[in-house]
Amino acid sequence: MFRSLHMKLTLIMLLLILSLMAAVSIFLTASVNSFYVNAFYRQLDSVFGVDQREFVADLRSAAGEADGAERLRERLEANAGLLGIDYHTRNFFVLDGITGAYLTGSDGAEALPADPSPNLLSARLAVERGDGSAVGDESVPGAGYMDAAIPILAGDRAYILYILDNCETLSGLNRQLFPIILQALVLGLVIAAGLSFLLAKTMAGPIEKLTAGAEEMAAGRFDKPLPVESADEIGTLTGTFNEMAGVLQSTLAAVENERNKLDTLFLHMTDGVVAFDMSGTVIHCNPAATEMLRRDVEPGWSYAGLFQDIAPFEKILSLQRPNYAEGELVAGDRTLEILLAPFSDQALGGVLAVLHDVTEHHRNEERRKEFVANVSHELRTPLTNVRSYAETLRDGEGDIPTDTANGFLDIIISETDRMTHIVQDLLILSRLDAGNTDMAFTRFSFRESIESVVRSNALNAQSRGHEMSFVCGEELPWIEGDRSRLEQVMMNIIGNAIKYTPDGGHIRVSAGVQEAQVWMDVWDDGIGIPEASRSRIFERFYRVDKARSRESGGTGLGLSIAWEIVQRHHGSLSLPPHEGPGTTVRLVLPIRQRDERRRNP
Ligand code: ADP
């Protein structure tokens, strides 16, 4: 209860006021007491002081008479008013100067203090010394009475006038003063309590509001600024507090925003990220990492179970920026490149593992190597032929019959053509790969294109004894595309059907419309494509039977080029299921091209 600032302030102020009032009361009582004592001695001084020599001389002459004590009593009775003798609280005594015995006194003078007071003793000593001027009028603090002893010497007689005030008036005054002080104290206390409560409320109220505001802020609620109710320090503090809350809110919002960005990045990035704390325990793992590692990496997993083979955890922790460790990991059919680096070297740091899926990169690398090997191989064979026939012609000089020499020259020319063909195909492919082959998009009749390609191949098919037909019952729409390149694709498919069908075969070309697409199937009853090769025939240089393909002048690039061209038209090339011996190749093309820029106006 007394922990609150409000109560503390109230209590402090109450204590302050209480101690102040107590001090005032003590001071007041002490002042009254000293005033009373001072008044007593001033009064005596006005009677027996140096200015009153005549009165003292009169007392001495009275003392010198036969009944000196009685005479002295009469004189004092006569001056009772001046001495303040009231016969009740203040009396006078006439004592024997030598023995100190009581001789006479005022009516109320009943008993002397049990122990002679210091004033009385000093008066007696003065009598002994014969010093009539020494007056014992020292107040004795805490004695409970006030007294004065005046030695009166007259010849051989010596008396002591002793005035004694038993302080009853003072005690009575104190007794009366005490309840008044007490009442004032209680009243003051009540008023002080009320006032200090109000004061404390005024002072502690804004601080309590500030505290409540700070608690709200700690709970993350910044939307309620505190009202600035005064222009004093508390008002300034409240204003500053509001400003601070505003800055904190915008800073927190910026931090939150950054965190959200990072979270989104972390969640959707294609690279995998796994974070470990200082003990090597997983603290974060993004979905890409889970997917790449082919297992659910839960928080709590250890580094040792994941990347120990690449580098020990302690070694990664000891690395200095920007150093990192890297290695490869095979997870299922995937090859992952792992980069390991420490983050923040404080106690809150750890190790970050970044995972790149390099499977495709590796495959591409393989393909590239295979491609280079294929190109070299494809060019080396005709080159070797050209070289050997040319050497034979050179070495044979005039010995070779003209027919044979011409035959050799024909081979050289055909091998050169073949090389030119390969180089041209490679050039087309590299242009398509580089994306700098402009497609001349126009609208043209799909039917007319097929018919034209079929017509061009008719002679070729006829020479092989094939029966080739084009069947299409429905009306075919005009389509958008690069006509000559699409006809090149059709030419390749139909040409392959003719090539890879033994003489006297059947080739059927059919076409149709399906929703927003047109299709063309080229069916043959030729040698067919084995199941294992079906997925690969669109690869560069892939040929099911290399010898047969070479014989028929194939480069193994025709379908790859066709695939690339069809891709540029957002269409597809596929091998649909085929009943019986032979092959069906399907070309599907959209009627309208998505990319408006590719269309000619
Ligand atoms: P090529 O110039 O060797 O014909 P392609 O890329 O046109 O090259 O064809 C790739 C391979 O696919 C061919 O070598 C062949 O083995 C196979 N192929 C293509 N079409 C057919 C078909 N209609 N029947 C059988 N095999 C085919």
Side-chain angles (χ1 to χ4, degrees):
M1 180 190 169
F2 295 114
R3 282 188 171 181
S4 79
L5 185 64
H6 196 151
M7 285 318 291
K8 273 183 192 161
L9 275 173
T10 309
L11 214 67
I12 288 169
M13 278 190 270
L14 266 179
L15 281 172
L16 265 175
I17 290 164
L18 200 69
S19 43
L20 195 73
M21 287 181 75
V24 168
S25 309
I26 291 165
F27 183 74
L28 196 71
T29 318
S31 298
V32 167
N33 284 355
S34 79
F35 174 78
Y36 191 78
V37 171
N38 289 342
F40 172 72
Y41 287 109
R42 265 202 312 277
Q43 202 164 24
L44 287 186
D45 194 49
S46 67
V47 178
F48 298 106
V50 280
D51 300 339
Q52 304 297 330
R53 286 178 204 275
E54 282 178 25
F55 180 62
V56 175
D58 181 43
L59 285 177
R60 281 195 189 128
S61 69
E65 291 177 28
D67 50 350
E70 198 51 35
R71 292 284 84 76
L72 281 174
R73 193 185 70 81
E74 282 168 9
R75 294 286 191 286
L76 289 174
E77 283 286 4
N79 287 282
L82 280 176
L83 287 167
I85 305 294
D86 60 1
Y87 307 101
H88 174 58
T89 60
R90 195 178 295 178
N91 287 288
F92 66 84
F93 299 76
V94 179
L95 308 175
D96 186 281
I98 310 296
T99 61
Y102 173 75
L103 300 174
T104 183
S106 57
D107 288 349
E110 283 165 4
L112 285 164
D115 293 324
S117 79
N119 283 338
L120 195 54
L121 287 174
S122 67
R124 282 174 64 183
L125 281 173
V127 170
E128 272 177 33
R129 286 197 313 271
D131 179 5
S133 62
V135 177
D137 56 356
E138 292 290 316
S139 79
V140 183
Y145 60 83
M146 300 178 293
D147 66 347
I150 305 108
I152 303 290
L153 302 178
D156 57 344
R157 293 181 190 202
Y159 298 96
I160 291 172
L161 297 183
Y162 185 61
I163 318 287
L164 177 68
D165 189 315
N166 61 12
C167 286
E168 273 232 346
T169 312
L170 189 62
S171 310
L173 196 67
N174 280 344
R175 270 197 302 278
Q176 276 178 10
L177 214 57
F178 184 71
I180 294 169
I181 289 174
L182 207 67
Q183 275 173 18
L185 209 68
V186 171
L187 188 72
L189 213 62
V190 170
I191 294 170
L195 278 178
S196 54
F197 187 80
L198 275 178
L199 201 67
K201 203 174 161 68
T202 320
M203 284 173 70
I207 295 175
E208 278 167 0
K209 277 186 193 166
L210 262 180
T211 312
E215 277 166 2
E216 287 271 305
M217 212 164 51
R221 290 184 287 272
F222 297 97
D223 46 342
K224 282 186 224 150
L226 296 175
V228 181
E229 287 165 352
S230 58
D232 56 10
E233 286 84 350
I234 298 273
T236 314
L237 182 64
T238 311
T240 315
F241 184 82
N242 282 340
E243 267 174 43
M244 190 187 75
V247 172
L248 202 61
Q249 186 178 16
S250 53
T251 310
L252 276 181
V255 170
E256 179 73 11
N257 198 18
E258 282 304 311
R259 210 176 62 105
N260 285 345
K261 265 197 255 173
L262 277 179
D263 275 357
T264 313
L265 188 78
F266 190 66
L267 214 65
H268 299 293
M269 67 195 288
T270 47
D271 284 340
V273 177
V274 187
F276 300 91
D277 63 12
M278 290 300 272
S279 66
T281 309
V282 171
I283 44 176
H284 288 300
C285 177
N286 72 346
T290 307
E291 215 270 318
M292 282 183 202
L293 290 166
R294 296 281 189 268
R295 48 185 162 169
D296 283 333
V297 181
E298 305 282 348
W301 276 38
S302 79
Y303 174 91
L306 291 166
F307 307 121
Q308 187 67 28
D309 292 346
I310 296 169
F313 189 71
E314 291 69 30
K315 190 184 159 198
I316 307 293
L317 275 182
S318 66
L319 290 175
Q320 295 293 317
R321 276 188 216 169
N323 295 335
Y324 60 89
E326 62 182 322
E328 274 194 1
L329 196 78
V330 176
D333 58 345
R334 310 246 119 208
T335 309
L336 307 177
E337 183 188 44
I338 316 286
L339 305 177
L340 297 163
F343 64 91
S344 164
D345 43 9
Q346 307 300 314
L348 284 172
V351 166
L352 209 65
V354 179
L355 289 70
H356 297 299
D357 187 344
V358 290
T359 318
E360 205 51 41
H361 177 73
H362 275 209
R363 272 191 206 142
N364 285 342
E365 195 57 22
E366 287 295 312
R367 280 196 203 116
R368 196 186 60 78
K369 283 184 191 154
E370 200 180 287
F371 181 73
V372 172
N374 278 334
V375 171
S376 325
H377 178 76
E378 291 300 325
L379 292 176
R380 201 171 50 234
T381 317
L383 272 173
T384 316
N385 285 345
V386 168
R387 184 188 170 87
S388 49
Y389 283 108
E391 274 177 356
T392 314
L393 285 172
R394 188 195 62 195
D395 296 345
E397 291 170 0
D399 300 344
I400 302 171
T402 317
D403 286 355
T404 314
N406 283 342
F408 284 3
L409 286 171
D410 283 346
I411 292 171
I412 290 173
I413 290 167
S414 99
E415 289 295 349
T416 318
D417 283 349
R418 185 174 155 68
M419 281 193 290
T420 312
H421 197 174
I422 291 174
V423 171
Q424 273 171 349
D425 278 357
L426 284 173
L427 206 63
I428 294 171
L429 265 178
S430 81
R431 279 194 189 135
L432 284 167
D433 283 347
N436 50 13
T437 310
D438 281 339
M439 296 277 160
F441 279 69
T442 53
R443 287 193 72 227
F444 62 93
S445 161
F446 189 50
R447 177 185 286 275
E448 269 179 28
S449 274
I450 300 172
E451 282 172 350
S452 137
V453 175
V454 170
R455 255 198 317 275
S456 308
N457 279 290
L459 213 61
N460 187 14
Q462 212 179 350
S463 68
R464 301 280 309 271
H466 294 323
E467 200 179 283
M468 186 162 72
S469 60
F470 171 45
V471 201
C472 176
E474 57 183 310
E475 194 167 322
L476 294 177
W478 281 41
I479 63 164
E480 287 173 356
D482 184 327
R483 182 171 183 163
S484 71
R485 288 189 198 279
L486 287 177
E487 284 181 3
Q488 187 186 342
V489 173
M490 293 173 193
M491 192 74 101
N492 185 271
I493 301 169
I494 295 171
N496 278 350
I498 296 169
K499 261 197 288 186
Y500 300 109
T501 301
D503 292 355
H506 298 84
I507 292 146
R508 271 204 306 271
V509 181
S510 54
V513 195
Q514 199 172 25
E515 295 171 0
Q517 293 177 319
V518 288
W519 56 268
M520 180 192 83
D521 277 359
V522 178
W523 178 99
D524 65 56
D525 54 357
I527 59 169
I529 299 170
E531 195 55 46
S533 302
R534 287 171 73 88
S535 61
R536 301 196 59 194
I537 60 155
F538 299 108
E539 284 178 19
R540 293 165 189 198
F541 290 114
Y542 185 79
R543 284 161 297 184
V544 178
D545 182 344
K546 291 205 172 178
R548 183 193 281 264
S549 172
R550 262 182 67 78
E551 261 171 41
S552 55
T555 59
L557 292 171
L559 280 181
S560 327
I561 295 172
W563 172 271
E564 291 295 339
I565 292 171
V566 172
Q567 289 300 307
R568 294 298 178 90
H569 286 79
H570 311 107
S572 67
L573 266 182
S574 60
L575 298 178
H578 179 93
E579 292 266 320
T583 311
T584 303
V585 179
R586 170 168 292 179
L587 164 70
V588 177
L589 290 167
I591 294 171
R592 300 182 75 84
Q593 289 299 320
R594 280 182 263 152
D595 193 343
E596 297 288 327
R597 284 169 302 167
R598 290 186 163 188
R599 256 183 258 157
N600 281 350

